[in-house]
Amino acid sequence: MIEIKDLYKQFGNTPVLQGINIEIKDGDIYGLVGVSGAGKSTLLRCINGLLPFEKGSLKVDGVNIQTLNGKKLREFRSTIGMIFQQFSLLERMNVLDNVCLPMRCLKYDKKKMLEKAMENLELVGLADRTKALPRELSGGQKQRVAIARAMALEPRILLCDEATSALDPNITQSILELLKKINRESNITIVVVTHQMEVVKNVCSKMSILSQGKLTISGEVKDIFLNHPESLAELLGQSVEFPKKEGKVYVEILKSAQGKDGENVISEMALAVKVPFDIVWGGMDKYRDDIAGNLVVEFEESDWEAVKKFLETKNADWRLV
Ligand code: ADP
């Protein structure tokens, strides 16, 4: 578990992280999102013990990492893997040597090192490219090698810093599937820093939004997107305004494929209340394990009382907009 409490970090006199509180449970895939310069990478570097901070605490599995130094800090850092937007492979080394590098630094036994490297290259689907140099690989393949290398020391936590930002959508998708598979199979905790909302929706169960070094919201990814708080609208640069007409009432209904009873509320309403209505706004999106969205329904004002009575009998999430 990663527990961050009231963390403050500054560079010189400039505060970069202020009052950060986040709890990341073992086995979660957690998203940190925000515009460029919000402080996401700085927070990742605090988590892996690369950067000290001025105030607050950051505990990983109960150990306050600010208290670690020397050998203990090196040992801690070997339990954390990291991948980056620019892959950070050594260009003069082939794929196998790149994956072996962290194990070579820790003086692993040669046989054990090669076995682990091959196991990881199998995992990422590149066991047949051991001799290739990074320049002979596509971006997606380079990131797969970087993942194999990051997993070499069997970390408990994998930090991903804009790991798919340089990749095209199909390749991004395949890297995300790989991360989900690794998470499923090894129960590793993954922290994903990204500005790509599709990445968060696709892989993360929980997320925090960072803005100018402060957390503006944290919670379940689906809840945040369905409730579209102001901090998300700011980040997306979109508002949820739609044209409204005189004499009409607008109700936003939350719908989820794996939702609770009563979320077929729109069709049930049509059958039960028998008043005309129209779906005028909204849409469904794919989340990690669900398909969910908000649909805005338009009624005549004169029909609202009957509709409201019906909605109040239902176990559905709805609100007037
Ligand atoms: P993000 O990852 O959200 O783009 P960063 O964590 O990289 O944001 O940066 C947050 C702020 O901290 C930015 O204003 C950046 O210029 C500043 N910053 C990052 N690293 C350093 C550093 N080593 N020295 C001084 N300022 C830094």
Side-chain angles (χ1 to χ4, degrees):
M1 173 136 97
I2 304 171
E3 290 169 279
I4 305 172
K5 285 208 180 117
D6 281 328
L7 186 144
Y8 283 78
K9 162 82 195 155
Q10 51 193 60
F11 285 117
N13 290 327
T14 313
V16 176
L17 294 171
Q18 302 183 59
I20 304 294
N21 287 287
I22 299 181
E23 198 177 284
I24 304 176
K25 299 220 158 59
D26 288 346
D28 262 3
I29 305 187
Y30 199 101
L32 289 175
V33 303
V35 295
S36 182
K40 307 179 295 294
S41 303
T42 303
L43 186 55
L44 270 200
R45 286 187 286 153
C46 290
I47 294 175
N48 77 358
L50 262 180
L51 273 182
F53 45 88
E54 282 70 41
K55 280 197 250 167
S57 73
L58 200 162
K59 289 184 184 169
V60 176
D61 293 338
V63 177
N64 189 339
I65 61 166
Q66 287 271 78
T67 63
L68 303 176
N69 47 40
K71 187 163 174 261
K72 285 255 179 313
L73 183 59
R74 281 197 301 279
E75 275 169 14
F76 165 75
R77 296 207 49 224
S78 73
T79 67
I80 298 195
M82 191 148 179
I83 55 172
F84 306 88
Q85 179 172 357
Q86 294 310 333
F87 323 120
S88 303
L89 300 178
L90 291 186
E91 289 298 326
R92 65 194 154 74
M93 283 189 182
N94 67 27
V95 163
L96 184 64
D97 287 340
N98 264 289
V99 176
C100 286
L101 193 60
M103 296 182 279
R104 196 161 275 140
C105 290
L106 291 189
K107 302 194 174 17
Y108 269 42
D109 163 72
K110 194 169 176 204
K111 184 163 169 275
K112 193 175 153 205
M113 175 174 81
L114 289 175
E115 268 172 22
K116 185 72 200 165
M118 286 315 296
E119 184 190 312
N120 283 5
L121 284 169
E122 290 281 351
L123 175 76
V124 302
L126 285 176
D128 57 344
R129 301 301 308 272
T130 51
K131 296 275 178 277
L133 290 169
R135 66 168 173 272
E136 295 162 345
L137 302 176
S138 68
Q141 288 171 327
K142 284 184 201 172
Q143 196 57 290
R144 284 172 184 271
V145 177
I147 291 171
R149 183 184 58 187
M151 298 298 292
L153 303 180
E154 299 181 357
R156 285 174 296 162
I157 299 170
L158 179 64
L159 306 177
C160 309
D161 195 355
E162 298 283 5
T164 54
S165 301
L167 304 175
D168 63 38
N170 281 343
I171 307 298
T172 293
Q173 192 55 37
S174 70
I175 295 292
L176 297 181
E177 290 306 321
L178 177 60
L179 291 177
K180 282 198 272 192
K181 177 175 147 189
I182 291 172
N183 168 257
R184 235 182 2 253
E185 290 177 1
S186 62
N187 201 38
I188 188 172
T189 308
I190 303 183
V191 185
V192 175
V193 155
T194 184
H195 67 277
Q196 296 171 292
M197 295 305 136
E198 291 318 304
V199 169
V200 182
K201 285 182 189 169
N202 195 315
V203 295
C204 299
S205 49
K206 297 203 182 107
M207 66 185 276
S208 291
I209 300 179
L210 264 172
S211 173
Q212 296 177 8
K214 294 182 184 158
L215 278 194
T216 53
I217 195 160
S218 296
E220 300 274 336
V221 171
K222 198 171 65 180
D223 290 350
I224 290 179
F225 277 92
L226 293 186
N227 289 310
H228 43 78
E230 212 170 285
S231 50
L232 181 65
E234 266 170 30
L235 185 60
L236 298 175
Q238 301 172 345
S239 81
V240 285
E241 286 300 308
F242 56 92
K244 292 183 183 167
K245 295 182 203 145
E246 278 290 309
K248 306 278 186 184
V249 171
Y250 296 87
V251 184
E252 181 174 5
I253 296 173
L254 271 56
K255 190 168 164 52
S256 146
Q258 293 181 358
K260 49 197 178 189
D261 292 344
E263 282 190 341
N264 279 331
V265 71
I266 297 176
S267 55
E268 286 181 33
M269 184 171 66
L271 293 170
V273 191
K274 295 196 175 71
V275 297
F277 66 83
D278 204 2
I279 296 173
V280 293
W281 192 261
M284 305 291 285
D285 245 322
K286 190 168 181 314
Y287 292 88
R288 186 175 156 170
D289 309 309
D290 199 3
I291 295 170
N294 305 18
L295 298 172
V296 176
V297 186
E298 178 193 78
F299 301 94
E300 292 297 333
E301 221 164 51
S302 53
D303 292 329
W304 171 235
E305 275 311 311
V307 173
K308 186 174 169 213
K309 241 187 210 158
F310 168 80
L311 287 173
E312 282 170 352
T313 66
K314 288 282 138 191
N315 179 25
D317 287 325
W318 58 273
R319 59 180 161 240
L320 280 172
V321 286

